[in-house]
């Protein structure tokens, strides 16, 4: 009799432990399924947000293209008083805000102008030296950067076919600085005054800041360049001759 009672008690104890283990296993599975479901829902939300953001960006690009196409039909001189230069303030959209502006990169000094026909260009080097000195940076860096641009221009010339423009092998100043043996981040002060375009371009004096104007114009001081920018507020330069007349 005692043995039978003890056996039944052992069975009940094993049954309780088994029930607890099964309950724990079910809870673990439920938690895992719930976690995966939440992760899946977040991934779906992220994809939807990314698709919406991408659609807005593409729409903005199309709008910019149409705006610039219409501007090209209306006039041949770009300046700061045109409608397309006005920044679009941030507006509320689903899950965030969106805004933007168009920037005339030819209002900056194009580092591709440091070379001509695959050889370092003296005028481009002198312009960059001025910009470097204005930002308390070593002027000798201009020659290093010119050598890199000249070598890359030679490679691009061999890669191009017809009028097609091959992309530059670098996308920002940090990459270019690394190729020239300059510590990354040291060229950051120049970001507001220089650009990287895959072909030689003139500077649009209707957009250039006084630092760029002083750099590209031999004998022009920064103070005189600031005066010219002040005069430009009353009316843009319609031709190169108008700009030359404004020089001291």
């Amino acid at each position: 009799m005692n043995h039978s009672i003890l056996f039944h008690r052992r069975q009940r104890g094993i049954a309780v432990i088994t029930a607890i283990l099964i309950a724990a296993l079910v809870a673990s599975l439920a938690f895992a399924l719930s976690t995966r479901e939440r992760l899946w829902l977040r991934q779906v939300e992220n994809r939807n947000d990314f698709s919406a953001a991408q659609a807005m960006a593409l729409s903005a690009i199309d709008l910019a293209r149409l705006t610039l196409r219409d501007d090209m039909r209306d006039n041949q001189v770009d300046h700061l008083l045109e409608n397309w230069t006005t920044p679009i303030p941030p507006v509320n959209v689903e899950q965030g805000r969106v805004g933007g502006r168009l920037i005339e990169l030819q209002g900056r000094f194009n580092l591709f102008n440091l070379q001509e026909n695959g050889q370092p260009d003296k005028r481009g080097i002198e312009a960059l030296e001025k910009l470097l000195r204005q930002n308390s940076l070593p002027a000798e860096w201009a020659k290093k950067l010119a050598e890199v641009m000249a070598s890359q221009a030679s490679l691009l010339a061999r890669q191009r076919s017809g009028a097609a423009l091959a992309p530059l092998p670098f996308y920002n100043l940090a990459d270019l600085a690394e190729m020239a043996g300059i510590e990354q981040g040291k060229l950051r002060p120049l970001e507001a005054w220089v650009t990287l375009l895959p072909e030689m371009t003139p500077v649009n004096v209707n957009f250039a800041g006084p630092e760029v104007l002083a750099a590209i114009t031999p004998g022009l001081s920064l103070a005189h360049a600031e005066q010219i920018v002040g005069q430009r507020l009353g009316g843009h330069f319609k031709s190169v001759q108008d700009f030359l007349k404004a020089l001291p």
Side-chain angles (χ1 to χ4, degrees):
M1 182 65 178
N2 292 336
H3 291 289
S4 177
I5 294 173
L6 182 60
F7 177 74
H8 286 300
R9 287 178 178 175
R10 287 179 178 176
Q11 283 186 326
R12 287 198 299 270
I14 294 174
V16 170
I17 294 174
T18 302
I20 293 173
L21 292 175
I22 293 175
L25 179 61
V26 171
S28 299
L29 290 174
F31 177 77
L33 292 174
S34 176
T35 301
R36 287 188 178 182
E37 184 179 7
R38 289 196 299 270
L39 178 61
W40 178 79
L41 289 174
R42 288 178 182 174
Q43 289 176 340
V44 172
E45 290 177 356
N46 290 337
R47 289 177 181 175
N48 290 336
D49 291 342
F50 176 78
S51 298
Q54 189 177 40
M56 292 177 188
L58 293 176
S59 299
I61 292 174
D62 289 337
L63 177 61
R65 286 173 176 168
L66 293 174
T67 302
L68 294 178
R69 184 193 64 183
D70 294 340
D71 176 75
M72 182 178 64
R73 291 174 178 174
D74 295 337
N75 67 84
Q76 298 298 319
V77 179
D78 292 324
H79 54 87
L80 284 167
L81 300 180
E82 294 188 273
N83 293 331
W84 63 267
T85 64
T86 304
I88 300 175
V91 295
N92 293 325
V93 296
E94 187 176 358
Q95 303 297 329
R97 308 181 74 192
V98 62
R101 64 176 302 185
L102 292 173
I103 298 176
E104 167 63 293
L105 291 180
Q106 284 189 228
R108 304 177 181 181
F109 176 74
N110 183 10
L111 293 178
F112 203 83
N113 291 3
L114 289 172
Q115 61 78 42
E116 187 172 6
N117 298 325
Q119 297 295 326
D121 183 73
K122 180 180 178 182
R123 292 170 299 176
I125 293 174
E126 290 176 350
L128 184 57
E129 285 176 345
K130 290 183 181 179
L131 285 174
L132 289 168
R133 283 193 291 265
Q134 289 171 8
N135 290 274
S136 301
L137 296 174
E140 58 268 20
W141 287 356
K143 293 183 179 180
K144 292 183 178 181
L145 295 172
E147 292 174 357
V148 173
M149 295 304 302
S151 63
Q152 295 303 318
S154 299
L155 293 176
L156 290 178
R158 292 194 293 267
Q159 295 173 2
R160 290 172 179 168
S161 58
L165 291 180
L168 291 170
F170 36 78
Y171 301 96
N172 51 49
L173 283 178
D175 294 339
L176 178 59
E178 184 178 2
M179 295 182 67
I182 301 173
E183 184 179 349
Q184 287 193 8
K186 293 295 184 179
L187 294 180
R188 189 168 300 167
L190 296 181
E191 289 181 349
W193 319 120
V194 302
T195 185
L196 283 167
L197 300 176
E199 61 179 350
M200 297 182 66
T201 56
V203 172
N204 188 334
V205 295
N206 283 322
F207 288 86
E211 293 81 1
V212 177
L213 290 179
I216 65 171
T217 309
L220 183 65
S221 67
L222 184 59
H224 283 140
E226 291 174 347
Q227 293 178 5
I228 292 175
V229 171
Q231 296 174 12
R232 190 178 64 191
L233 296 177
H236 65 277
F237 300 116
K238 297 180 180 179
S239 66
V240 176
Q241 294 302 322
D242 285 348
F243 172 70
L244 294 178
K245 292 178 182 179
L247 295 176

